[in-house]
Amino acid sequence: MDPSRFVPKVRVEELMTIVRRMIQTKGQPHIVIREAVTQLLYISAVRWYTKSFTQKQLNAFATHASRYFELYLPTGSIEIAHTQRYTHRTGKSELCILATRPLAPGTVITELKGSMADLTEQEDQELKSADRRQPSGGIRRDFSVIHSKQLKKNHLFLGPARFVNHDCDNNCELFREGRYITFRVIRPIAVGEEVTAHYGDAYFGRGNRHCLCETCERNGVGG
């Protein structure tokens, strides 16, 4: 959360080499992914970043990385893509999830995994302060922040699932699968169509009056 913290840069070609090798390797997916994560940990920038990690932190980092590698398996059905839908309000390019094959209702998108991480009060306030500096006028636009009604606090949604955007006419619903949160399709999704979920009726202000989703735009409402 510290914006002044130095983060080493990884060369894209180094990552692409690992991904290509993973795609071309035959074998059980979990073994192929584990080997890709091992190769990732040997990249000099990653070694520098993780040099002070405890074994527990290193294991968590490896698990987190494996969720992203899973997206590139030939059996995958989604991809992470850029969207400009929110740029005029957030001032930056955002990401989204697109289907790469038709998805039928009832399908669980198993590779679209996510997990919750606790936010300290200070971290939560830092995110809110960043939101207030945006043209949106203080409406929370960090879509990876999820509020738990049960625990009455905010959490950070991590993993590829964090890039699933909201739509008031969503085509997926959150689905818990073991330790992970993933998504289940509730209406047909075509190739190239964005995978969306419903964040709640008041996530973007009362009655979602500041919502920027495609459905609200089509209906002439929202922010």
Side-chain angles (χ1 to χ4, degrees), residues 25-95:
T25 301
K26 298 184 183 299
Q28 296 183 1
H30 71 279
I31 296 177
V32 173
I33 291 174
R34 186 169 60 197
E35 178 58 29
V37 172
T38 299
Q39 294 169 19
L40 175 70
L41 293 174
Y42 274 105
I43 291 178
S44 57
V46 177
R47 287 206 313 268
W48 186 94
Y49 180 75
T50 59
K51 63 183 179 181
S52 61
F53 279 20
T54 64
Q55 188 59 51
K56 182 178 180 180
Q57 290 173 320
L58 196 60
N59 291 343
F61 180 88
T63 298
H64 190 63
S66 70
R67 295 172 187 165
Y68 286 92
F69 279 126
E70 189 175 349
L71 298 179
Y72 295 95
L73 291 174
T75 54
S77 60
I78 57 168
E79 65 178 357
I80 299 175
H82 282 276
T83 177
Q84 303 300 321
R85 167 161 295 280
Y86 316 101
T87 303
H88 69 289
R89 296 300 297 272
T90 65
K92 59 182 179 180
S93 176
E94 302 287 351
L95 297 175

Side-chain angles (χ1 to χ4, degrees), residues 30-202:
H30 71 279
I31 296 177
V32 173
I33 291 174
R34 186 169 60 197
E35 178 58 29
V37 172
T38 299
Q39 294 169 19
L40 175 70
L41 293 174
Y42 274 105
I43 291 178
S44 57
V46 177
R47 287 206 313 268
W48 186 94
Y49 180 75
T50 59
K51 63 183 179 181
S52 61
F53 279 20
T54 64
Q55 188 59 51
K56 182 178 180 180
Q57 290 173 320
L58 196 60
N59 291 343
F61 180 88
T63 298
H64 190 63
S66 70
R67 295 172 187 165
Y68 286 92
F69 279 126
E70 189 175 349
L71 298 179
Y72 295 95
L73 291 174
T75 54
S77 60
I78 57 168
E79 65 178 357
I80 299 175
H82 282 276
T83 177
Q84 303 300 321
R85 167 161 295 280
Y86 316 101
T87 303
H88 69 289
R89 296 300 297 272
T90 65
K92 59 182 179 180
S93 176
E94 302 287 351
L95 297 175
C96 66
I97 300 293
L98 301 180
T100 57
R101 62 181 63 188
L103 298 173
T107 301
V108 176
I109 311 176
T110 55
E111 69 268 36
L112 192 52
K113 292 184 175 72
S115 59
M116 298 292 192
D118 290 339
L119 275 175
T120 65
E121 184 64 28
Q122 179 181 352
E123 290 169 339
D124 196 26
Q125 290 302 318
E126 287 175 359
L127 286 173
K128 288 179 180 177
S129 296
D131 289 336
R132 294 189 188 101
R133 292 193 293 269
Q134 297 299 325
S136 56
I139 301 302
R140 168 154 275 163
R141 297 299 183 189
D142 192 320
F143 304 150
S144 58
V145 176
I146 302 294
H147 182 75
S148 170
K149 291 183 179 179
Q150 182 179 3
L151 299 176
K152 297 181 179 179
K153 63 181 298 186
N154 288 326
H155 293 77
L156 202 58
F157 197 20
L158 302 176
R162 65 175 292 196
F163 301 120
V164 175
N165 292 318
H166 166 90
D167 195 283
C168 290
D169 185 23
N170 51 303
N171 52 31
C172 285
E173 61 183 358
L174 263 71
F175 177 75
R176 181 170 288 279
E177 187 176 54
R179 296 176 299 163
Y180 304 113
I181 295 172
T182 184
F183 293 86
R184 179 165 48 200
V185 179
I186 58 176
R187 60 180 176 82
I189 302 176
V191 174
E193 184 178 351
E194 183 175 357
V195 173
T196 59
H198 196 276
Y199 287 11
D201 295 328

